Amino acid sequence: MVNPSGPVSGKGPITHVIFDMDGLLLDTEKFYTEVQEIILARYNKTFDWSLKAKMMGRKAMESARIFVEESGISDSLSAEDFLAERESMLQKLFPTSDLMPGASRLIRHLHAKGIPIAVATGSHKRHFDLKTQRHGELFSLMHHIVLGDDPEVKQGKPSPDVFLAAARRFEGGPLDPQKILVFEDAPAGVLAAKNAGIEMDWLHSGWLPSSLKDFEADDFNDFNQGGLILIVSFPSAPPPPPPMKLSAVMVPDPRLDSSHHDTADQVLSSLLDFDPKFWDLPPFEDVES
Ligand SMILES: O=P(O)(O)OC[C@@H](O)CO
Ligand SMILES: [Mg+2]
């Protein structure tokens, strides 16, 4: 995706921001990688970024199934046993989680300027508490936080559930998806955000026919598995509005192949490179650290 550095504007004005957490705000993806490399080494296998790219951002059991099946070890290690073994190692690592560069500055800046901010993460509460125990004050600046085991989150990313729940919990809803900016590090997360934008857009524009409102989420998810974005049309309904109005800024790990960047509206190498003016958000003051 284009990564403009000039004055070209995004699709602002943005009024609300939703942050992914692992790999975006917290430097925690390295812990998952480290532990998975240790487990695979026992089978004389190596963990590579093409597999990591498929796992990132997804619910634990979903990513576990991908791990054991794509590594070819599912006959020796079940997804459940992999999660149990990984858990004991992660429990020791998570409390040492550091912030990603630029995360604190951006969160404090948006909060100080009165821009409502939230977190939408695949992490479950027990992991969230461990990962954020050194960063409680910073996370207290969030208007709300939606976790992977929230009752409203039926399906993990790339399904839109966690972002739809996060968008709904801001005051003054329902929001126009065009005014929401999502920050993500993972391909599944960017896709989840775009899918949420489409669903919110259809609801916001009134296009979504009532018969679709009870559309089964896992059917929707089936389309997402292949990275396709579901577009359905009913004979009586007008064509859907142009999708993709919700904007997503991707801050991927440099080891992630750039072919995974295509769905993002902007790609940055670090949150330190984010320019709020590009999205019509209040500019940083020079003195901010
Ligand atoms: O949605 P995030 O915060 O990236 O969490 C993903 C986590 O489940 C590990 O990949
Ligand atoms: Mg992430």
Side-chain angles (χ1 to χ4, degrees):
M1 197 66 191
V2 174
N3 188 7
S5 52
V8 172
S9 81
K11 289 188 257 179
I14 296 298
T15 59
H16 293 72
V17 172
I18 301 174
F19 291 103
D20 166 54
M21 187 177 77
D22 289 281
L24 189 278
L25 293 180
L26 291 179
D27 190 8
T28 48
E29 285 295 343
K30 66 183 180 185
F31 296 145
Y32 292 97
T33 302
E34 186 182 320
V35 163
Q36 280 146 195
E37 281 169 345
I38 292 168
I39 292 172
L40 273 188
R42 193 164 74 233
Y43 301 93
N44 296 319
K45 297 199 181 254
T46 53
F47 183 60
D48 67 35
W49 266 83
S50 61
L51 175 53
K52 173 92 178 168
K54 292 175 189 168
M55 294 174 66
M56 293 169 82
R58 293 179 185 270
K59 275 190 180 249
M61 185 51 80
E62 287 167 33
S63 66
R65 281 200 196 97
I66 293 169
F67 179 80
V68 296
E69 284 161 16
E70 304 248 342
S71 304
I73 61 171
S74 54
D75 294 341
S76 324
L77 183 69
S78 69
E80 292 77 4
D81 290 345
F82 161 68
L83 286 179
E85 183 174 349
R86 180 179 87 164
E87 182 69 18
S88 57
M89 293 189 254
L90 291 175
Q91 294 262 353
K92 297 184 186 78
L93 292 166
F94 284 160
T96 70
S97 303
D98 289 322
L99 292 169
M100 293 295 281
S104 177
R105 179 184 70 149
L106 181 55
I107 290 170
R108 294 184 191 286
H109 170 70
L110 294 176
H111 182 265
K113 295 297 181 187
I115 303 289
I117 53 179
V119 171
T121 175
S123 284
H124 287 200
K125 178 156 179 22
R126 71 181 187 285
H127 283 175
F128 175 84
D129 291 343
L130 288 171
K131 292 170 181 175
T132 59
Q133 65 184 23
R134 293 170 55 222
H135 311 291
E137 181 269 331
L138 186 69
F139 278 79
S140 71
L141 301 180
M142 299 293 171
H143 181 271
H144 55 273
I145 293 171
V146 184
L147 302 173
D149 49 356
D150 186 289
E152 276 189 58
V153 181
K154 305 282 188 251
Q155 304 272 346
K157 299 173 183 176
S159 293
D161 301 20
V162 69
F163 287 113
L164 289 173
R168 268 196 291 270
R169 295 183 192 174
F170 284 117
E171 265 102 36
L175 297 179
D176 176 350
Q178 191 161 296
K179 298 188 185 308
I180 298 175
L181 186 63
V182 165
F183 288 85
E184 258 285 355
D185 68 303
V190 172
L191 191 55
K194 301 303 272 185
N195 286 333
I198 289 174
E199 192 163 322
M200 288 168 64
D201 202 31
W202 287 350
L203 287 167
H204 189 261
S205 62
W207 178 80
L208 195 61
S210 53
S211 52
L212 194 63
K213 284 194 179 73
D214 53 8
F215 191 78
E216 282 305 311
D218 50 9
D219 301 341
F220 188 82
N221 190 40
D222 292 345
F223 283 85
N224 289 334
Q225 293 304 342
L228 296 179
I229 290 179
L230 169 67
I231 300 284
V232 292
S233 65
F234 290 74
S236 57
M244 311 276 210
K245 278 186 178 172
L246 182 147
S247 298
V249 175
M250 190 177 195
V251 188
D253 186 292
R255 292 163 292 186
L256 184 71
D257 187 87
S258 60
S259 62
H260 293 291
H261 299 174
D262 293 351
T263 315
D265 297 280
Q266 188 181 35
V267 180
L268 302 175
S269 52
S270 162
L271 286 175
L272 289 169
D273 298 332
F274 179 68
D275 176 4
K277 293 196 304 295
F278 180 73
W279 295 98
D280 288 345
L281 283 162
F284 285 126
E285 272 92 48
D286 299 345
V287 295
E288 264 175 282
S289 58

